């Protein structure tokens, strides 16, 4: 189905947003880690929103996809570092991350996507925790000993390249994943998938009666979202931090962070996760500096306040305000 | 040998399971009535454990006598959080909302940011006082805005909002308790003898906890079946529109069942300290939240007594499967029991989402 | 109206303006620490921050500042809270290095978070001192600026086993039951190797998951293997649970030693009589007898407060009536190592400091301090404490004893 080009205008503010962020990181010395952390939050929100925002299904175990993605990259580097593959290893790692997260999302999809609402949320928590205990209990990939592969990277690429990979290129990939997630979101929104999912979000039974193959579209969005999460884990956690422990990557608070980001920005909007990620990241960073040790106590009531008083999120409110102005076509 | 171990484990599992079951009843009740999954569940269990600990340490009150106090604290907390945070999101009548005045909101946000900027230049010693002041200021600002504008019910993805709100409530509780009592793991020692059964040993405290759980479960059952108030609440679970037509104040039933659920959860914290009186710390609730989810699903998620039954099954399966997994080389049996319980969760959700029992 | 709505968006960006902080004066030594003050490691993080603060106070008020470049300059401590989250470690560490221009950085608690920060420290070429990451693997990764103060995990239970070998050579049956975490596993592997080397028979070896709520099945299994010695543990909560449920199940052994939990004051408070006779290996304990005289006799440099002075300083630093445990002492010893290294090399340059730290050997109230070429701590030996009549006594090694070991340990009543 062809759509006029102007339907894709909203990608412009996304591009500008990430561009400015990237620019600040490159121009201002000594801020790159902060910028990459912000990009991580934006990407996390963006990828999570792709499925959650469109369908209204809350995947509480979403972090499992990041976890298996991290393992994908880790396995590649840990076991292949002395095979002389060079940078191909990174590519293999990314592919493994995508494959692992696809497989997991298919498995989860087969079970959990039949469920709705709270049942879905609980089932996905079960998947995340169960998977972690499987890795620990059956001692898969070293079990709880995890994998530390800084040395492997240095052996394979040399010290300088390894450093550049983890301190710079990993973050660049995070930006890439964030942008890719935004593009995919917009594509789906302007496509059959998006229409079907919108119908489903409003009333799943009615959508079914209308003859929409609900399961298929749900699965498409779910897998896309999972792959993006896998790539994010592979870059932001494995390649950047060069270690992986199961308790560390299957930690449910990352899902909570994703939900907070999406809600701050506005669920189901394209710009929301970027705005939400920036607000969340910057305020968290600042609170950690200003009030070390108290920031969670301050942050939690603010979250409640925002959810109760601004359920549409920042972009949701903005959307209403620009309605009927020339800006309208840029903001969704 | 294996048989002996298995029967010992199963016995322990049954006793432990009854306490787990009790600890899940509140979660199921809240889900049944409000359709809200309380992600902050574990934090309320922690509050109960601290109640028990504090009363024992301050006045030597045995945990059994702390039950009514804990229940009252739980009811009060439940009311507070229901009206403070959840009502605007779930209440069937909470949708007549004015739109927010952005000037007021902007000013509020501005004041908060200004406070933070000021705080940047304060010494560490002042920060504690400032943090508490800020916390109180935020709560007041929130209360004020809520009073003036009200919240609005969310029709799209209500889970999203309620999951996050209950999670944040949990965080507030944990962090407040941490500020009050530090994050040290504490405990007390209440020993009144043991019962040696040959295959295993059971301290009387565990048996009392188990018996207490059963009593509370039976009382709840009777309350639901025999009293008017209980029946009114049950009618809301069945059909809230119908209940409203019949003259039930659905709004009040929501508040009541939320606070009753929290009351039960906090009480279960006390029972848990009879079982395990050590390792009490602000962050102890997390694992119980996850366990309770599994148990609630076993019991059908929306049914409190189903949850009790689910707890028993869960205790049996978790302790029993240990012996099974211990037979395999190269596996860590303990982690595998956890894996197994989550697999069980998925299987039940898939095959029998109404739970193992079909009681409604 | 529209503009006002945008306030919400603009305000966080205004905060960015504050990132460009005023430049620091060159005449001070600044320690930067992305501490773990909330989240999973909050307890250890709070101790560490108190420990660093106490040592910094001592250096500034008693020692009179750090002697560098011909004058005494004060030591400054700057910490942020990383919430025990890995992403925050990297960004806060970078801020400390680039914006706050710190002289050295301290790692947050735990091996994982230490590893998360290491690439940043390496990138900026700044010394990164590790007081809470016990994993041996950190030092096989080829990091050039990571320096350890805490001893490696594999050595935790070595002294315990040596003690049994010496005082009760006929005791043979050892059970190992540790938490399933990277740290506890490295302790377990070290203990197993040592046990086999000393001729013990390992009759039970299992782990339990982190944040466990009930250990009954594991302990029933352990009971069936009929051990004489039980060593294990992991963190604080599970150690208390371990002891309590051993008592519940009437598992009486000759020796019970638990890492981390059993060495802390809270353990005895929580368990009361049940803790009687329980042991634990510790990096430092109130009561260890390292003194200036002892250091002189051994021909080592001595620095730092005496033990009692230290405890007083610590209580003042945290503002609570709280005893320092080994997490605090490690962090403090690290500060003292830094002071000595700066004075010895008369420089604040990272490469010079790292090299000086590599050659440095000294003693403080914490004990010895010496690192090998990779940065791993080798100069610090551990002590074993035992709960005797509600107090922690040091029972091993013999030259540090404050009481004789009670062996076999009394049965649970």
């Amino acid at each position: 189905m062809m759509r006029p080009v102007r339907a894709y205008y909203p990608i412009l503010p996304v591009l500008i947003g990430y561009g400015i962020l990237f620019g600040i990181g490159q121009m201002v010395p000594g801020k790159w880690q902060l910028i990459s952390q912000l990009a991580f939050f934006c990407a996390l929100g963006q990828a999570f929103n792709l499925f959650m925002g469109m369908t209204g299904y809350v995947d509480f175990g979403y972090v499992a996809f990041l976890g298996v993605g991290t393992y994908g990259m880790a396995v590649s580097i840990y076991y292949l570092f002395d095979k002389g593959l060079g940078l191909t290893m990174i590519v293999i790692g990314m592919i493994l991350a995508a494959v692992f997260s696809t497989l997991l999302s298919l498995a989860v999809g087969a079970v959990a996507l039949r469920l709705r609402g709270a049942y879905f949320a609980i089932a996905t928590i079960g998947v995340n925790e169960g998977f972690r205990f499987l890795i620990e209990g059956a001692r898969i990939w070293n079990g709880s000993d995890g994998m530390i592969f800084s040395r492997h990277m240095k052996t394979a690429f040399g010290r300088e390249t390894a450093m550049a990979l983890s301190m710079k290129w990993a973050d660049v990939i995070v930006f890439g994943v964030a942008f890719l997630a935004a593009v995919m979101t917009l594509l789906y929104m302007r496509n059959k998938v998006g229409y079907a999912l919108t119908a489903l979000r409003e009333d799943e039974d009615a959508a079914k009666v209308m003859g929409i193959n609900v399961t298929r579209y749900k699965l498409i969005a779910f897998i896309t979202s999972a792959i993006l999460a896998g790539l994010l884990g592979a870059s932001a956690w494995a390649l950047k931090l060069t270690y992986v422990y199961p308790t560390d990557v299957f930690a449910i608070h990352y899902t909570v962070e994703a939900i907070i980001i999406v809600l701050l920005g506005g669920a189901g909007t394209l710009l929301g996760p970027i705005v939400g990620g920036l607000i969340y990241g910057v305020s968290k960073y600042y609170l950690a500096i200003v009030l070390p040790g108290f920031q969670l106590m301050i942050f939690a009531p603010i979250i409640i306040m925002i959810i109760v008083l601004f359920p549409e999120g920042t972009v949701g409110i903005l959307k209403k305000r620009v309605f009927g102005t020339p800006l309208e076509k840029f903001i969704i | 040998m294996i048989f002996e171990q298995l029967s010992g484990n199963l016995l322990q599992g049954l006793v432990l399971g009854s306490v787990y079951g009790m600890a899940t009843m509140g979660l199921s009740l809240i889900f049944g009535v409000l359709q809200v999954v309380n992600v902050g569940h574990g934090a309320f269990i922690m509050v109960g454990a601290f109640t028990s600990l504090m009363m024992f340490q301050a006045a030597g009150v045995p945990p059994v006598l702390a039950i009514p106090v804990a229940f009252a604290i739980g009811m009060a907390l439940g009311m507070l959080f229901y009206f403070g945070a959840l009502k605007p999101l779930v209440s069937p009548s909470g949708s007549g909302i004015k739109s927010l005045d952005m000037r007021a909101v902007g000013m509020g946000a501005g004041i908060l940011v200004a406070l933070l900027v000021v705080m940047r230049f304060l010494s560490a010693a002042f920060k504690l006082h400032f943090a508490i002041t800020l916390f109180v200021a935020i709560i007041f600002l929130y209360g004020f805005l809520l009073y003036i504008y009200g919240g609005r019910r969310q029709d799209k993805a209500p889970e999203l909002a309620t999951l996050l709100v209950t999670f944040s409530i949990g965080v507030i509780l944990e962090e407040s308790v941490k500020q009050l009592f530090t994050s040290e793991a504490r405990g007390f020692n209440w020993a009144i003898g043991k019962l040696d059964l040959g295959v295993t040993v059971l301290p009387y405290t565990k048996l009392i906890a188990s018996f207490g759980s059963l009593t509370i479960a039976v009382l709840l059952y009777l309350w639901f079946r025999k009293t008017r108030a209980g029946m009114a609440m049950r009618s809301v679970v069945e059909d809230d529109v119908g209940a409203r037509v019949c003259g039930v104040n659905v709004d009040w039933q929501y508040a009541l069942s939320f606070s009753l659920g929290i009351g039960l959860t906090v009480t279960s914290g006390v029972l848990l300290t009879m079982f395990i009186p050590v390792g009490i710390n602000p962050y102890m609730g997390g694992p119980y939240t996850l366990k309770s989810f599994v148990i609630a699903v076993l019991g059908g998620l929306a049914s409190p007594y189903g949850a009790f039954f689910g707890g028993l099954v869960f205790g049996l399966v978790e302790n029993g499967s240990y012996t099974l997994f211990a037979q395999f080389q190269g596996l860590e049996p303990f982690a595998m029991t956890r894996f197994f319980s989550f697999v069980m969760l998925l299987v039940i959700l898939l095959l029998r989402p109404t739970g193992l029992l079909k009681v409604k | 109206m529209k503009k006002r709505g945008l306030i919400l968006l603009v305000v966080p960006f205004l905060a960015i303006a504050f990132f460009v902080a005023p430049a620091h004066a060159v005449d001070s030594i600044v320690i930067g620490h992305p501490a773990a003050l909330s989240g999973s490691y909050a307890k250890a993080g709070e101790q560490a921050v108190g420990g660093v603060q106490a040592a910094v106070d001592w250096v500034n008020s008693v020692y009179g500042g750090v002697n560098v470049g011909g004058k005494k300059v004060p030591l400054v401590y700057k910490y942020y809270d990383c919430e025990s989250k890995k992403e925050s470690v990297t960004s806060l560490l970078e801020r400390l290095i680039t914006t706050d221009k710190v002289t050295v950085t301290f790692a947050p608690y735990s091996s994982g978070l230490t590893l998360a920060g290491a690439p940043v420290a390496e990138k900026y070429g700044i010394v990164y001192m590790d007081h809470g990451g016990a994993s041996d693997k950190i030092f096989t990764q080829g990091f050039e600026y990571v320096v350890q103060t805490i001893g490696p995990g594999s050595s935790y239970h070595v002294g315990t086993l040596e003690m049994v070998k010496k005082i009760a050579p006929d005791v043979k049956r050892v059970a190992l039951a540790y938490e399933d975490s990277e740290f506890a596993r490295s302790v377990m592997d070290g203990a197993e190797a040592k046990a086999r080397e000393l001729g013990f028979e390992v009759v039970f070896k299992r782990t339990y998951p982190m944040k466990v709520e009930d250990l009954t099945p594991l302990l029933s299994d352990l009971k069936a293997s009929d051990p004489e010695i039980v060593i294990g543990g992991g963190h604080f909560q599970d150690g208390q649970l371990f002891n309590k449920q051993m008592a519940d199940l009437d598992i009486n052994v000759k020796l019970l030693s638990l890492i981390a939990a059993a060495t802390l004051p809270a353990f005895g408070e929580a368990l009361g009589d049940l803790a009687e006779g329980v042991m634990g290996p510790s990096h430092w304990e109130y009561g260890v007898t390292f003194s200036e005289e002892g250091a002189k006799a051994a021909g080592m440099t001595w620095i730092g407060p005496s033990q009692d002075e230290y405890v007083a300083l610590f209580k003042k630093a945290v503002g609570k009536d709280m005893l320092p445990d080994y997490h605090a002492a490690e962090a403090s010893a690290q500060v003292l190592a830094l002071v000595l290294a700066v004075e010895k090399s008369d420089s604040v340059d990272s490469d010079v400091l790292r090299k000086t730290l590599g050659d440095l050997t000294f003693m403080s109230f914490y004990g010895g301090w010496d690192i090998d070429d990779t940065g791993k701590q080798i100069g610090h030996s551990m002590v074993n404490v035992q709960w005797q009549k509600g107090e922690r006594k040091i029972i091993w090694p013999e030259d540090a004893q404050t009481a004789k070991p009670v062996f076999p340990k009394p049965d649970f009543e």
Side-chain angles (χ1 to χ4, degrees):
Chain A
M1 183 178 355
M2 278 300 291
R3 298 273 310 173
V5 180
R6 62 170 272 169
Y8 296 98
Y9 277 180
I11 204 68
L12 276 177
V14 176
L15 197 59
I16 294 169
Y18 285 130
I20 291 177
L21 204 56
F22 191 81
I24 294 176
Q26 289 295 312
M27 305 295 188
V28 185
K31 289 281 163 267
W32 180 246
Q33 294 304 322
L34 171 62
I35 296 298
S36 73
Q37 194 188 0
L38 293 178
F40 169 75
F41 285 139
C42 293
L44 181 66
Q46 201 78 265
F48 183 68
N49 190 37
L50 177 59
F51 177 68
M52 194 287 295
M54 280 199 212
T55 59
Y57 276 64
V58 185
D59 184 345
F60 222 76
Y62 189 70
V63 67
F65 299 127
L66 279 100
V68 291
T70 315
Y71 268 105
M73 178 64 83
V75 164
S76 160
I77 296 175
Y78 195 81
Y79 293 110
L80 301 178
F81 78 103
D82 51 0
K83 302 281 189 292
L85 290 172
L87 290 172
T88 327
M89 221 159 64
I90 306 296
V91 179
I92 295 176
M94 293 308 263
I95 293 170
L96 270 185
V99 171
F100 285 175
S101 47
T102 310
L103 289 178
L104 184 65
S105 67
L106 282 173
V108 180
V111 181
L113 276 180
R114 296 155 186 258
L115 306 164
R116 292 187 197 175
Y119 289 87
F120 178 75
I122 290 182
T124 49
I125 294 179
V127 170
N128 181 53
E129 294 296 311
F131 205 75
R132 193 190 92 200
F133 283 120
L134 179 65
I135 288 183
E136 290 185 357
R139 309 280 300 144
I140 299 169
W141 298 319
N142 289 352
S144 58
D145 282 336
M147 288 186 257
I148 306 173
F149 46 90
S150 183
R151 175 172 62 86
H152 304 69
M153 278 177 70
K154 281 171 198 152
T155 319
F157 308 118
R159 200 180 161 75
E160 290 308 309
T161 319
M163 194 58 89
L165 271 175
S166 66
M167 285 291 103
K168 183 170 177 203
W169 293 107
D171 305 324
V172 174
I173 299 176
V174 171
F175 269 102
V177 173
F179 188 65
L180 183 65
V183 172
M184 293 307 288
T185 311
L186 187 62
L187 273 180
Y188 282 174
M189 275 177 170
R190 294 294 190 237
N191 226 304
K192 223 168 153 184
V193 185
Y195 304 141
L197 292 180
T198 313
L200 172 155
R201 186 177 63 193
E202 300 303 331
D203 189 338
E204 186 158 348
D205 295 316
K208 259 187 201 159
V209 174
M210 297 282 288
I212 298 172
N213 188 346
V214 181
T215 319
R216 188 179 143 206
Y217 292 113
K218 271 198 289 193
L219 206 57
I220 290 177
F222 192 59
I223 294 175
T224 316
S225 173
I227 292 178
L228 289 165
L231 296 178
L232 188 58
S235 50
W237 287 351
L239 197 55
K240 184 177 168 72
L241 302 174
T242 66
Y243 77 96
V244 48
Y245 291 135
T247 41
D248 221 53
V249 293
F250 293 105
I252 235 159
H253 66 238
Y254 289 106
T255 311
V256 177
E257 281 187 331
I259 299 178
I260 293 175
I261 291 163
V262 168
L263 266 181
L264 281 178
T269 61
L270 178 68
L271 274 176
I274 303 176
V275 177
L278 289 180
I279 296 178
Y280 178 70
V282 170
S283 49
K284 201 173 103 132
Y285 179 77
Y286 197 66
L287 274 171
I289 288 164
V290 174
L291 283 174
F294 305 103
Q295 74 269 49
L296 283 178
M297 202 170 93
I298 302 298
F299 214 74
I302 294 182
I303 296 288
I304 296 184
M305 180 148 97
I306 289 172
I307 297 165
V308 173
L309 296 172
F310 310 94
E312 312 99 322
T314 324
V315 175
I317 293 172
L318 198 67
K319 231 161 96 179
K320 272 190 200 157
R321 300 210 170 243
V322 298
F323 189 75
T325 67
L327 279 176
E328 189 192 348
K329 59 180 175 292
F330 290 103
I331 292 173
I332 56 165
Chain B
M1 188 64 197
I2 287 175
F3 179 73
E4 240 176 54
Q5 258 191 40
L6 186 65
S7 50
N9 276 347
L10 288 178
L11 214 58
Q12 292 275 2
L14 198 65
V15 176
L16 180 66
S18 61
V19 181
Y20 280 169
M22 156 76 209
T24 310
M25 286 167 76
L27 185 84
S28 291
L29 178 64
I30 292 171
F31 184 79
V33 180
L34 285 83
Q35 303 289 305
V36 166
V37 179
N38 180 12
V39 191
H41 184 71
F44 289 102
I45 293 183
M46 178 272 295
V47 171
F50 265 91
T51 312
S52 168
L53 173 80
M54 285 304 136
M55 289 185 66
F56 189 86
Q57 280 188 341
V61 184
V64 184
L65 299 180
I67 288 177
V69 179
F71 188 69
I73 291 177
M75 290 287 282
L77 282 176
M79 282 292 172
L80 179 73
F81 286 122
Y82 179 75
F83 285 105
L86 273 168
K87 182 168 183 284
L89 300 177
V90 297
S91 165
S93 59
S95 38
I97 298 305
K98 297 164 233 168
S99 95
L100 282 165
D101 185 345
M102 279 301 156
R103 271 171 298 187
V105 175
M107 262 165 66
I111 292 169
L112 285 182
V113 171
L115 269 174
L116 282 174
V117 170
V118 170
M119 243 174 277
R120 217 196 125 182
F121 301 99
L122 288 177
S123 73
F126 280 107
K127 280 186 179 169
L128 172 65
H129 305 289
F130 248 90
I132 292 167
T133 318
L134 188 63
F135 178 73
V136 175
I138 291 170
I139 300 287
F140 270 97
L141 177 69
Y142 171 61
F144 177 71
L145 288 175
L146 193 63
Y147 176 74
I148 296 192
Y149 303 110
R152 53 197 93 177
R153 184 174 188 180
Q154 289 179 299
D155 295 319
K156 283 178 200 168
E159 287 85 26
L160 195 65
T162 54
L163 285 173
L164 206 46
V165 164
T166 49
F167 182 85
S168 302
I169 289 173
V171 172
I172 292 179
L173 284 175
E174 284 171 357
E175 292 301 311
S176 314
V177 172
K178 188 186 107 184
Q179 296 302 337
L180 286 174
F181 300 106
T182 75
S183 48
E184 195 76 74
R186 293 141 179 270
F188 60 90
N189 197 355
W190 186 51
I192 49 169
K194 288 175 205 164
L195 181 66
D196 197 334
L197 293 167
V199 285
T200 190
V201 186
L202 280 170
Y204 287 121
T205 48
K206 286 192 180 182
L207 291 173
I208 295 178
S210 182
F211 181 72
S213 305
L214 187 66
T215 315
I216 292 170
V218 170
L219 283 178
L220 191 73
Y221 183 84
L222 291 177
W223 187 76
F224 265 122
R225 295 279 148 178
K226 304 284 174 202
T227 65
R228 259 189 92 78
M231 281 192 257
M233 197 176 285
R234 217 148 46 87
S235 71
V236 180
V237 179
E238 301 280 338
D239 177 0
D240 61 351
V241 179
R244 189 195 301 256
V245 172
C246 296
V248 175
N249 184 351
V250 176
D251 234 0
W252 176 243
Q253 290 303 325
Y254 269 38
L256 202 61
S257 46
F258 187 76
S259 78
L260 181 63
I262 297 297
L264 285 171
T265 308
V266 175
T267 309
S268 74
V270 177
L271 292 169
L272 269 168
T273 61
M274 283 192 231
F275 216 86
I276 301 158
V278 293
I280 299 167
N281 72 80
Y283 303 113
M284 66 183 275
Y288 291 114
T289 311
L290 291 174
K291 278 212 156 128
S292 297
F293 285 169
V294 180
I295 294 168
V297 167
L298 286 180
L301 203 55
S303 145
Y305 6 98
F308 187 78
F309 175 73
L312 294 179
V313 174
F314 183 82
L316 287 175
V317 169
E318 207 182 50
N319 276 16
S321 62
Y322 180 91
T323 320
L324 177 74
F325 286 117
Q327 308 308 316
F328 294 96
Q329 286 296 316
L331 288 185
E332 288 298 347
F334 220 133
M336 289 311 281
T337 61
R338 302 298 155 90
F339 169 66
F340 186 66
S341 66
F342 286 109
V343 169
M344 191 166 70
L345 167 93
L346 291 178
V347 171
I348 302 263
L349 274 177
L350 200 59
L351 300 180
R352 277 189 82 119
T354 47
L356 292 174
L357 280 180
K358 269 214 171 151
V359 207
K360 189 73 205 229
Chain C
M1 265 322 265
K2 218 179 293 167
K3 272 181 199 156
R4 312 244 179 208
L6 283 174
I7 287 177
L8 271 177
L9 284 173
V10 173
V11 159
F13 291 102
L14 283 179
I16 298 179
F18 281 86
F19 292 162
V20 189
H24 274 276
V26 283
D27 51 359
S28 64
I29 309 281
V30 190
I31 298 168
H33 191 187
L37 276 170
S38 43
S40 358
Y41 306 121
K43 197 187 122 23
E46 190 186 10
Q47 282 275 346
V49 168
V52 176
Q53 192 65 57
V56 167
D57 290 347
W58 180 83
V59 169
N60 288 337
S61 58
V62 182
Y63 194 67
V66 187
N67 201 347
V68 59
K71 59 175 178 177
K72 295 259 185 187
V73 299
L75 203 53
V76 179
Y77 178 40
K78 214 163 173 78
Y79 67 91
Y80 301 138
D81 179 7
C82 72
E83 281 180 47
S84 313
K85 283 180 191 159
K86 44 191 184 294
E87 294 82 11
S88 300
V89 175
T90 56
S91 62
L92 291 174
L93 196 61
E94 186 179 57
R95 180 190 168 88
L96 285 163
I97 296 167
T98 59
T99 307
D100 300 325
K101 307 252 187 300
V102 298
T103 322
V104 289
T105 51
F106 281 10
Y109 185 73
S110 89
S111 300
L113 296 180
T114 302
L115 281 166
V120 180
E122 292 284 305
K123 180 188 169 197
Y124 287 97
I126 192 161
V127 175
Y128 184 57
M129 300 179 82
D130 158 23
H131 66 83
S135 174
D136 298 27
K137 287 188 198 121
I138 299 172
F139 300 94
T140 59
Q141 304 299 322
F143 293 128
E144 287 172 1
Y145 293 91
V146 186
V147 169
Q148 195 186 32
T149 298
I150 189 176
S154 52
S155 66
Y156 270 57
H157 264 140
V158 168
T160 320
L161 291 164
E162 280 170 348
M163 181 188 97
V164 178
K165 183 79 188 163
K166 190 157 180 196
I167 61 176
D170 54 327
V171 171
K172 285 283 175 257
R173 301 172 67 80
V174 181
L176 311 167
Y178 287 88
E179 186 185 64
D180 198 1
S181 65
E182 178 272 335
F183 161 69
R185 266 185 181 279
S186 72
V187 181
M188 178 165 77
D189 293 342
E192 195 189 8
K194 190 74 190 173
R196 295 203 190 285
E197 183 195 319
L198 293 174
F200 287 100
E201 187 189 344
V202 177
V203 293
F204 181 86
K205 185 191 171 198
R206 291 250 191 261
T207 64
Y208 53 85
M210 286 170 97
K211 296 187 179 162
V212 69
E213 319 79 2
D214 177 51
L215 284 166
T216 316
L218 179 99
L219 292 175
S220 306
D221 201 5
L222 182 146
K223 190 181 184 181
S225 72
D226 191 25
E228 291 170 293
I229 301 175
V230 175
I231 55 181
H235 277 96
F236 317 113
Q237 211 179 325
D238 55 299
Q240 295 185 2
L241 182 67
F242 199 113
N243 191 165
K244 168 69 183 158
Q245 297 204 316
M246 286 266 290
D248 280 354
L249 288 169
D250 272 336
I251 307 174
N252 286 307
V253 290
K254 293 192 171 122
L255 182 145
L256 170 61
S257 178
L258 298 169
I259 53 173
T263 63
L264 305 181
F267 186 77
E269 278 167 35
L271 285 152
D273 297 342
L274 298 179
E276 187 65 24
V278 178
M279 293 174 53
S282 176
H283 288 287
W284 175 83
E285 223 32 77
Y286 181 75
V288 288
T289 48
F290 296 111
S291 67
E292 201 164 352
E293 293 75 36
K296 266 186 197 134
M300 285 171 93
T301 319
W302 169 270
I303 186 173
S306 76
Q307 186 165 265
D308 292 318
E309 284 169 358
Y310 176 66
V311 172
L313 281 165
F314 179 83
K315 283 186 179 166
K316 205 175 134 234
V318 291
K320 284 177 205 158
D321 186 24
M322 188 161 91
L323 271 181
D325 59 35
Y326 69 85
H327 302 108
E330 280 153 14
S332 304
Q334 194 157 279
V335 177
L336 300 173
L338 166 72
V339 171
L340 278 182
V342 170
E343 294 196 335
K344 203 171 156 194
S345 61
D346 199 24
S347 162
V348 292
D349 179 73
S350 290
D351 293 297
V352 179
L353 273 182
R354 172 66 185 84
K355 196 176 168 306
T356 320
L357 281 167
D359 300 333
L360 190 69
T361 317
F362 73 98
M363 190 174 257
S364 66
F365 72 96
Y366 174 68
W369 196 98
D370 188 16
I371 56 168
D372 69 5
D373 293 342
T374 59
K376 188 157 96 175
Q377 180 64 231
I378 48 169
H380 186 71
S381 52
M382 302 194 62
V383 294
N384 275 281
V385 298
Q386 185 174 38
W387 285 89
Q388 296 181 0
K389 301 202 169 57
E391 279 178 44
R392 284 173 301 163
K393 301 286 187 191
I394 295 159
I395 53 158
W396 203 262
E398 279 168 309
D399 51 5
Q401 270 179 357
T402 55
K404 290 271 167 225
V406 174
F407 188 91
K409 89 181 241 319
D411 282 358
F412 296 116
E413 300 272 305

